[in-house]
Amino acid sequence: MTLDEDRIDDAVLALLLLGLHEGDRAWKSFDWNALARLHARGLISDPVGRAKSVAFTPEGKALAEALLASLFSRPG
């Protein structure tokens, strides 16, 4: 099976919002490769390091909010 990494990254970015704290930080409890790709796209801070969370960039947070609504909200 071939996985669509772009769709996986969209889901991870959206789900990062569920662990949001301190305004723009999210717990980094997802696949390291996906987090690295999101960082390479400029959507989150560098996940490598001792911190247990990453920071959204303004663009990343806006996209995460839009993706969370489009991927996981119920109609109505």
Side-chain angles (χ1 to χ4, degrees), residues 32-74:
W32 285 100
N33 292 323
L35 293 175
R37 290 190 301 268
L38 292 172
H39 172 65
R41 290 174 51 196
L43 301 173
I44 62 171
S45 62
D46 193 349
V48 176
R50 295 184 65 157
K52 294 182 180 182
S53 61
V54 292
F56 283 101
T57 63
E59 298 82 11
K61 190 172 181 185
L63 180 56
E65 290 168 345
L67 287 167
L68 187 66
S70 71
L71 293 172
F72 299 110
S73 66
R74 288 190 174 140

